[in-house]
C-alpha cells in the first residue's frame, strides 16, 4: 500500500477562505477550522461488525501506489510506523507553550474571537453536513430503515413514559421555580446541538426529520452565530429553539430540564474548550440525556494535518493550539475521549478513527486527515 511520509510542509497556512484548496469529498480548512463539504462521507477504521452494516459512501481504497493521483481522496488509510514517528517529531518541535498571560488572554476572550469569526464569515463559510444522517442515523431515525429507532429508551410504555416526563418536569419546576412550559416541552423526540454555529447541522435535521414530535435545541458560545441562526428564514420556533450558552460554564442553566434529551450532538466543538474544562462539560451534558439517550461526537484526532501545520508560537499546552484568528483547538486520542464519556457515566456504542488521504492532483500533493467519531449512551 502507498504510504508516503506526511506532507505537512507542502500545505501553506492560510487564514481566509480564498486560499483554501477545494478538494472533493473532503472538508475544507481555514487555518484548521473545519468547513464540511456537503458530499463528504466517512469510512472508519477499527469498526465493529455492527458498524460494517451501516451504509457508507466512502469505499475507495488505495491498493496500487501508482494510482494515488487518480482520485481526490482515499479512505481508511492506515499509517506506517515511520509516518507516526514523523508526526510525533513535528508536534514535539512546536510544543513550547505560550506564556501563561497569553494563554489566559485567549481563554478570557474566547467568545470575542468566535464572534469575530462569524462576523467575518457569517453563513458563507460552513456547508450543511448532510453526511450526518449516514453516520448518525439517530438524528432522523425514520429516514434509515436499518436503524432501530428508540423513541422510548426507558423500557416504559408510551403512556407511562409521558407520565414519567411530566413528573420529572414538575420535580424540575419545583427545584428551579420554573413551570413545565419550557420550549419543546410537548415534543416526544428532542435533540440538542452544542456549538451549532450558523445552523449547518440544525437546518438539515429540520429538513430531513419530519417526525411531528421532533424538537431541536441549538446553542453556541457566539451570540453572533446564534443571531444568524435566528434570522435564517428556515428557523421555526415551533420546532427549534436557539440560545447562547457557554459550555465551559457548568453553572450556567439550560432552558430544558435534566433527563429530557434523546440526542446531544457535538461536531468539532469539544476541541475548542480548554482541556481542563472538558470533563465537567461532558458530565453536565450527560445529565440532560434521558436514560438510553445518546451523545454523538465528531472531532479532531491526534496528528491530523491541521495539527501538523501549526508553527511555533501557536501552542497553548500539549496538543492544544491557538489559530491565527484567536480560536483554539485540541487534538484527541480515542482513549482520551473514552475516559471523558466513561467518567460522565456513559457507555460506549462507537469510538472510531477516520484516517483519510486527501490528494491535490493539480499540485501532486498528498495530505492526511485524522478525525474521531464517537457515540456514547446513557444507561437505561
Amino acid at each position: 500500500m502507498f504510504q508516503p511520509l506526511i506532507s505537512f510542509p507542502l500545505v501553506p497556512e492560510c487564514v481566509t477562505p480564498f486560499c483554501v484548496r477545494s478538494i472533493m469529498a473532503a472538508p475544507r480548512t481555514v487555518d484548521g477550522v473545519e468547513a464540511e463539504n456537503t458530499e463528504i462521507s466517512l469510512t472508519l477504521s477499527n469498526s465493529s461488525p455492527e458498524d460494517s452494516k451501516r451504509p457508507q459512501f466512502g469505499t475507495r481504497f488505495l491498493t496500487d501506489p501508482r494510482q494515488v493521483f487518480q482520485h481526490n481522496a482515499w479512505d481508511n488509510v492506515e499509517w506506517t510506523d515511520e509516518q507516526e514517528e514523523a508526526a510525533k517529531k513535528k508536534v514535539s518541535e512546536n510544543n513550547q507553550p505560550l506564556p501563561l498571560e497569553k494563554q489566559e488572554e485567549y481563554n478570557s476572550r474566547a467568545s470575542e474571537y468566535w464572534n469575530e469569526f462569524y462576523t467575518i464569515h457569517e453563513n458563507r463559510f460552513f456547508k450543511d453536513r448532510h453526511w450526518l444522517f449516514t453516520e448518525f442515523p439517530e438524528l432522523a431515525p425514520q429516514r434509515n430503515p436499518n436503524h432501530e429507532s428508540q423513541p422510548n429508551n426507558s423500557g416504559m410504555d408510551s403512556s407511562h413514559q409521558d407520565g414519567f416526563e411530566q413528573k420529572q418536569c414538575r420535580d424540575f419546576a419545583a427545584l428551579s421555580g420554573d413551570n413545565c412550559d419550557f420550549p419543546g416541552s410537548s415534543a416526544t423526540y428532542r435533540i440538542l446541538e452544542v456549538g451549532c454555529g450558523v445552523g449547518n447541522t440544525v437546518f438539515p435535521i429540520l429538513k430531513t426529520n419530519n417526525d411531528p414530535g421532533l424538537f431541536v435545541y441549538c446553542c453556541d458560545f457566539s451570540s453572533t452565530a446564534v443571531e444568524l441562526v435566528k434570522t435564517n428564514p428556515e428557523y421555526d420556533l415551533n420546532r427549534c429553539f436557539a440560545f447562547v450558552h457557554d459550555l465551559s460554564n457548568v453553572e450556567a442553566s439550560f432552558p430544558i430540564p435534566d433527563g429530557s434529551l434523546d440526542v446531544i450532538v457535538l461536531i468539532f466543538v469539544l476541541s475548542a474548550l480548554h482541556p481542563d474544562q472538558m470533563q465537567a462539560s461532558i458530565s453536565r451534558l450527560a445529565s440532560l440525556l434521558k436514560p438510553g439517550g445518546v451523545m454523538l461526537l465528531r472531532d479532531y484526532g491526534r496528528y491530523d494535518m491541521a495539527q501538523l501545520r501549526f508553527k511555533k508560537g501557536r501552542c497553548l499546552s500539549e496538543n492544544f493550539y491557538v489559530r491565527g484568528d484567536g480560536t483554539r483547538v485540541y487534538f484527541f486520542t480515542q482513549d482520551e475521549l473514552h475516559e471523558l464519556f466513561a467518567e460522565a457515566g456513559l457507555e460506549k456504542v462507537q469510538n472510531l478513527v477516520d484516517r483519510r488521504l486527501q490528494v491535490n492532483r493539480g499540485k501532486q500533493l498528498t495530505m492526511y486527515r485524522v478525525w474521531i467519531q464517537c457515540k456514547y449512551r446513557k444507561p437505561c
Side-chain angles (χ1 to χ4, degrees), residues 167-179:
K167 180 181 183 302
Q168 185 181 58
C169 182
R170 288 193 296 272
D171 292 343
F172 176 79
L175 292 172
S176 65
D178 296 330
N179 58 43

Side-chain angles (χ1 to χ4, degrees), residues 40-321:
I40 184 174
S41 58
L42 316 176
T43 295
L44 301 164
S45 59
N46 303 324
S47 58
S48 66
E50 290 77 12
D51 298 328
S52 65
K53 297 177 183 178
R54 295 182 295 116
Q56 296 180 346
F57 298 119
T59 56
R60 182 177 292 150
F61 306 109
L62 180 63
T63 57
D64 183 351
R66 295 171 299 181
Q67 303 297 317
V68 65
F69 293 110
Q70 295 299 310
H71 298 287
N72 291 323
W74 299 94
D75 300 303
N76 204 25
V77 177
E78 296 296 334
W79 285 24
T80 64
D81 292 340
E82 290 78 9
Q83 280 178 283
E84 188 153 348
E85 285 303 315
K88 290 179 180 178
K89 181 180 179 181
K90 175 66 176 177
V91 169
S92 67
E93 291 173 352
N94 301 330
N95 67 352
Q96 297 82 10
L98 291 171
L100 289 177
E101 58 269 21
K102 290 297 293 183
Q103 295 185 41
E104 179 55 35
E105 176 187 341
Y106 287 120
N107 191 57
S108 62
R109 298 182 58 195
S111 62
E112 295 179 38
Y113 291 123
W114 280 111
N115 279 333
E116 289 174 7
F117 176 89
Y118 287 110
T119 299
I120 294 170
H121 298 292
E122 295 184 336
N123 60 355
R124 297 185 298 270
F125 181 53
F126 295 99
K127 292 188 177 181
D128 292 350
R129 299 158 172 164
H130 295 292
W131 54 266
L132 285 171
F133 305 108
T134 298
E135 296 307 319
F136 298 140
E138 296 84 355
L139 299 176
Q142 81 286 1
R143 181 177 184 266
N144 189 340
N146 295 322
H147 174 69
E148 295 182 4
S149 178
Q150 294 181 317
N152 178 3
N153 294 306
S154 67
M156 308 176 189
D157 62 39
S158 59
S159 60
H160 284 89
Q161 175 71 9
D162 292 342
F164 173 78
E165 289 190 3
Q166 289 299 318
K167 180 181 183 302
Q168 185 181 58
C169 182
R170 288 193 296 272
D171 292 343
F172 176 79
L175 292 172
S176 65
D178 296 330
N179 58 43
C180 287
D181 292 328
F182 62 91
S185 59
S186 61
T188 56
Y189 199 76
R190 304 186 188 98
I191 298 172
L192 165 66
E193 186 192 10
V194 181
C196 64
V198 297
N200 303 98
T201 294
V202 170
F203 293 121
I205 292 175
L206 292 172
K207 288 179 184 178
T208 304
N209 190 333
N210 56 15
D211 180 357
L214 171 72
F215 198 90
V216 181
Y217 308 88
C218 57
C219 63
D220 201 279
F221 195 25
S222 167
S223 57
T224 302
V226 172
E227 188 61 28
L228 287 168
V229 170
K230 290 182 175 181
T231 56
N232 189 305
E234 296 179 8
Y235 182 67
D236 182 359
L237 276 171
N238 294 315
R239 304 183 69 211
C240 183
F241 183 76
F243 58 100
V244 177
H245 187 86
D246 179 0
L247 181 59
S248 66
N249 182 4
V250 295
E251 300 300 323
S253 62
F254 284 88
I256 41 180
D258 288 356
S260 60
L261 295 175
D262 295 276
V263 181
I264 296 175
V265 188
L266 299 134
I267 305 296
F268 296 107
V269 62
L270 188 63
S271 55
L273 295 185
H274 191 286
D276 293 345
Q277 300 169 328
M278 292 178 183
Q279 184 61 72
S281 299
I282 290 295
S283 297
R284 177 66 186 98
L285 289 175
S287 69
L288 295 173
L289 286 172
K290 295 178 182 178
V294 293
M295 199 174 298
L296 311 176
L297 174 141
R298 184 162 173 81
D299 221 319
Y300 297 100
R302 189 69 47 83
Y303 309 134
D304 175 62
M305 182 187 73
Q307 181 178 15
L308 302 180
R309 288 172 56 203
F310 278 108
K311 295 178 173 61
K312 292 181 180 180
R314 291 296 178 187
C315 182
L316 297 172
S317 60
E318 191 172 4
N319 302 303
F320 189 46
Y321 304 83

